[in-house]
Amino acid sequence: MKVVYKSEAERGRQWAAWLGQHAPDIQFHLWPDTGDDEPVDFLIAWQPPENIAHHFPHLKALFSVGAGADQFDYAALPADLPVVRMIEPGLTQGMVEYITFAVLALHRGMPRYLHQQQQREWLAHTCPLASTRRLGVMGLGELGQAALRQLRSLGFECGGWSRTAHEIDGVTCWHGQAQLADFLARTDILVCLLPLTETTRGLLNSELFNQLPAGAALVQAGRGPQLNHTDLLAALENGQLQAAILDVTDPEPLPATHPLWQHPGVWITPHIASQTQAESAVSALLENIRRWQRGAPMHGVIERNRGY
């Protein structure tokens, strides 16, 4: 069994050491090293090399090193090649922590207080109880559901929306385009955890913002191309939105002169909401390889017709 890794080098060395201890039957190589003439079975990458079929004609699957796999150019991949996104506890815990931090910051008005500090202004504002604040998560996959469980424990009134129907204990769920407006109308803090597809590209725009209650807030931890920056700035200026916390933008990073950098109602973090943890990630990778060897379904296989 041969595996080639093409991503951040230090993480690759950590994975190589771990697999050497726990799975000595696997040949693990760091790109561009591909070992001997034996065919490569699995490639792990954020971006595979061009002409992947030429480099790896016998590839069994392509693994993403991250929770998403929308960065791949599927037209350049063999149509029958399974593409597998990363599902591992470290990624999930990291996202839960970030979403909890962001929601609590917006709930307690922390962007306003940071701006006041910078202006040397001492002014207190009232804050409602979490139980009166209506939280809405767009995207009800593993990350969205894990975040909702944590936020429910803090007392927020939780709702969720996704393309398909879900039932989640303690969470009111909506689904499909026909139910999106009802979901938005009751959402004071909107969290986007959607994958990037043709239907979610540009979704966070003025039309959507105007369906939220006036003075709502946004947490964007999905994908950068989902957010219309011009519409966000307009919503912040006219008061439709009071604040936004952005972990993803398009491009990344934003140009130095972009007005979002300096907006008092905006916090920007450099795509760090959820980061792959070396040991738990390589353990999840090994489990998927063993599942493939047993003929069992692998976790996280992308359905190309859905885009996730």
Side-chain angles (χ1 to χ4, degrees), residues 131-276:
S131 59
T132 67
R133 187 82 76 181
R134 299 169 299 177
L135 173 73
V137 173
M138 301 180 78
L140 298 178
E142 181 173 346
L143 299 179
Q145 292 194 36
L148 281 164
R149 285 193 294 271
Q150 178 64 36
L151 293 164
R152 276 187 56 219
S153 73
L154 296 173
F156 289 99
E157 182 183 331
C158 290
W161 179 89
S162 62
R163 188 181 69 87
T164 56
H166 286 74
E167 291 186 6
I168 304 172
D169 186 38
V171 178
T172 305
C173 295
W174 290 262
H175 71 278
Q177 191 63 35
Q179 296 184 9
L180 180 57
D182 289 341
F183 162 77
L184 295 171
R186 50 75 58 202
T187 297
D188 301 312
I189 299 177
L190 177 66
V191 177
C192 179
L193 285 172
L194 291 167
L196 181 62
T197 67
E198 286 309 306
T199 58
T200 66
R201 187 180 298 272
L203 179 65
L204 301 176
N205 57 24
S206 58
E207 180 182 357
L208 182 144
F209 298 147
N210 289 336
Q211 296 178 74
L212 295 166
L218 171 69
V219 179
Q220 165 59 330
R223 286 291 186 261
Q226 295 164 341
L227 176 61
N228 184 308
H229 296 159
T230 301
D231 288 0
L232 172 61
L233 284 164
L236 290 164
E237 291 305 311
N238 66 29
Q240 183 60 27
L241 293 181
Q242 58 147 323
I245 295 179
L246 313 177
D247 187 55
V248 291
T249 60
D250 184 31
E252 292 182 348
L254 292 173
T257 57
H258 199 289
L260 282 173
W261 283 117
Q262 298 296 326
H263 197 287
V266 176
W267 286 1
I268 298 176
T269 54
H271 206 146
I272 48 79
S274 184
Q275 298 173 305
T276 303

Side-chain angles (χ1 to χ4, degrees), residues 17-44:
W18 191 92
L19 286 169
Q21 180 179 355
H22 295 87
D25 59 306
I26 293 179
Q27 299 180 48
F28 188 85
H29 300 275
L30 303 182
W31 176 267
D33 174 30
T34 59
D36 54 27
D37 293 333
E38 288 296 313
V40 172
D41 296 292
F42 298 103
L43 173 66
I44 309 155

Side-chain angles (χ1 to χ4, degrees), residues 54-102:
H54 171 75
H55 286 289
F56 307 112
H58 302 287
L59 204 61
K60 308 297 191 303
L62 168 62
F63 288 96
S64 171
V65 294
D70 52 70
Q71 76 276 14
F72 295 135
D73 177 7
Y74 286 91
L77 300 179
D80 59 349
L81 178 67
V83 178
V84 187
R85 63 187 181 89
M86 178 63 69
I87 298 178
E88 61 98 357
L91 276 171
T92 301
Q93 180 61 26
M95 185 61 77
V96 169
E97 291 172 1
Y98 185 92
I99 297 303
T100 303
F101 139 78

